[in-house]
Amino acid sequence: MTMFINWGSREINLKIVYYGPGLSGKTTNLQFIYNHLNPELRSQLVTLNTKEERTLYFDFMQMELGEIKGHTPRVSLYTVPGQVYYAFSRKIILRGVDGIVFVADSQKSRMVDNLDSLLDLENNLSEMGQSLKRIPWVIQYNKRDLPRIAPVEVLQSKLNFYGVPYFESIANRGMGVLSTLKSIIKMVLSDIHTLV
Amino acid sequence: MDMNKNITASYFILSENAYNEINRILEELALKTRADLIIFSDSNGYPITSQGNFPDLDTSVMASLAANNFSATAEMASLLGEAENFKYLFHEGEKFNIYISNVGYNYILSVIFKKEVAIGLIRIMANKAGEAIHELLNREQQEEQTSTELMDSEFSSLLDKELDKLLKI
């Protein structure tokens, strides 16, 4: 069971998870979205951090879209901790996920970390009976402003093996953040459209 | 993209009747226990409905934290070799306590109450309410539901408009 349509309160609930290696910019994406939105349409941003301000468990916020045909889509956004040793936290956060944003670090030196994280994601999904083949997901190539980054064609050939939509971003300046989010919400909602 | 159409079980529709019935059960629970706030959510942290009032508390945040708290203890249970998750969590504060229990496998009931209220009473009443909701949802799941009324072709264009409005760059 994943997506919950509440006929009583006229709400459609979606869960989007930001996945990717440590320090790739998942939390930065959420912070930008949080600051950008009208406070009346979003919850608090909850961050469960370590003392070193790295994500320990998850970041969370919820946002509300305007009414569509009498129903209000509510979107929960989560990030997972990127570091390898928080494997359990990642599994827990992925439960019930409707769509995924994979935030890749564009720096050449992080290519292996990106691949490891993507593999970890696929393993966790398959334990839930899901797969990157089926679930709606997009890739965000972040940190495009840094030196020594891999060209997009290289990132595409190594990471985007299913040809999902991709976005270039500089999350700390907000570039590419909102278009990524828009794209994944549309994919998830058109997915239920196909199902019903 | 290869969108497999076989994942039809990936959404659940709660009918208006069931929603109202759950609210009635929670209302009764609040009345009997004098709890300040009761939140019924799914195990992914989506707050389905709530009863009571706790000033300045964001129920969506509370529901998310409760659900993830519950999931984390499921991992503790499995480390101990338990076949199932612990049945409830209890957090004791100076003024308020929180009692979080599972309702079947997919739902969670969180009760926030003042220290003066006996935990025994909360346990008994919350479990009773949980069982009633569980039965109700089991019946609900068996009924054929459709939402074609909602998801017609107009939906996508309206969605695009709303997204553009909300996420204006």
Side-chain angles (χ1 to χ4, degrees), chain A residues 33 37 47 58 84 92 102 107 112 115 136 141 149 167 173:
Chain A
I33 296 163
L37 289 180
T47 55
F58 61 84
V84 176
I92 289 170
F102 186 84
Q107 296 176 94
V112 176
L115 275 166
Y141 299 123
I149 51 171
F167 300 87
R173 288 192 227 149

Side-chain angles (χ1 to χ4, degrees), chain A residues 156-170:
Chain A
Q156 277 284 85
S157 72
K158 299 234 183 212
L159 302 172
N160 198 358
F161 33 82
Y162 291 125
V164 299
Y166 67 94
F167 300 87
E168 294 184 52
S169 71
I170 307 170

Side-chain angles (χ1 to χ4, degrees), chain A residues 3 14-16 98-100 136 183-193:
Chain A
M3 189 175 309
L14 316 176
K15 179 173 180 177
I16 310 282
D98 297 303
I100 296 164
S183 162
I184 190 66
I185 294 175
K186 276 185 200 177
M187 279 172 82
V188 170
L189 282 169
S190 71
D191 200 33
I192 35 167
H193 189 163

Side-chain angles (χ1 to χ4, degrees), chain A residues 38-53:
Chain A
N38 176 347
E40 282 172 14
L41 298 175
R42 54 144 166 86
S43 72
Q44 292 163 244
L45 174 64
V46 177
T47 55
L48 303 184
N49 282 348
T50 63
K51 282 184 191 133
E52 294 80 34
E53 299 209 339

Side-chain angles (χ1 to χ4, degrees), chain A residues 118-159:
Chain A
L118 205 50
L119 193 65
D120 174 66
L121 170 59
E122 178 66 328
N123 285 339
N124 286 333
L125 286 174
S126 80
E127 278 182 32
M128 295 162 29
Q130 260 293 3
S131 151
L132 284 174
K133 243 186 194 170
R134 294 199 300 265
I135 200 160
W137 68 292
V138 299
I139 303 187
Q140 186 185 75
Y141 299 123
N142 193 24
K143 307 192 184 180
R144 296 309 295 168
D145 55 332
L146 294 189
R148 287 183 291 281
I149 51 171
V152 172
E153 305 78 64
V154 174
L155 289 160
Q156 277 284 85
S157 72
K158 299 234 183 212
L159 302 172

Side-chain angles (χ1 to χ4, degrees), chain A residues 11-31:
Chain A
E11 287 172 0
I12 304 170
N13 184 61
L14 316 176
K15 179 173 180 177
I16 310 282
V17 174
Y18 283 71
Y19 212 94
L23 293 173
S24 67
K26 302 174 289 297
T27 300
T28 314
N29 264 271
L30 245 63
Q31 282 165 341

Side-chain angles (χ1 to χ4, degrees), chain B residues 16-153:
Chain B
E16 199 163 349
N17 280 345
Y19 177 79
N20 292 337
E21 181 61 14
I22 292 169
N23 270 322
R24 197 198 55 73
I25 294 169
L26 296 191
E27 210 175 314
E28 195 184 321
L29 177 62
L31 204 71
K32 284 183 177 161
T33 58
R34 289 181 290 129
D36 288 79
L37 180 65
I38 302 170
I39 304 170
F40 179 64
S41 58
D42 75 1
S43 54
N44 303 325
Y46 164 59
I48 296 165
T49 185
S50 62
Q51 283 288 330
N53 182 31
F54 202 101
D56 300 327
L57 185 142
D58 190 327
T59 50
S60 57
V61 169
M62 189 54 123
S64 164
L65 290 170
N68 286 292
N69 193 350
F70 215 78
S71 297
T73 59
E75 296 300 340
M76 288 190 215
S78 100
L79 289 178
L80 297 180
E82 290 282 328
E84 285 185 22
N85 192 6
F86 299 118
K87 290 192 168 43
Y88 68 89
L89 298 176
F90 177 55
H91 299 299
E92 193 175 351
E94 264 181 37
K95 291 184 200 145
F96 292 97
N97 298 334
I98 307 180
Y99 179 86
I100 306 170
S101 56
N102 54 358
V103 176
Y105 185 71
N106 290 321
Y107 303 94
I108 287 169
L109 192 60
S110 305
V111 184
I112 299 167
F113 57 101
K114 290 193 183 66
K115 245 188 117 63
E116 294 74 44
V117 180
I119 171 74
L121 175 73
I122 298 286
R123 270 194 68 174
I124 292 169
M125 292 302 174
N127 289 353
K128 231 172 119 181
E131 277 168 24
I133 295 174
H134 185 51
E135 272 175 36
L136 176 86
L137 289 172
N138 274 345
R139 282 201 304 274
E140 183 84 349
Q141 217 148 13
Q142 279 157 16
E143 283 169 30
E144 193 71 18
Q145 308 252 7
T146 170
S147 66
T148 40
E149 176 201 333
L150 169 65
M151 305 291 173
D152 64 11
S153 53

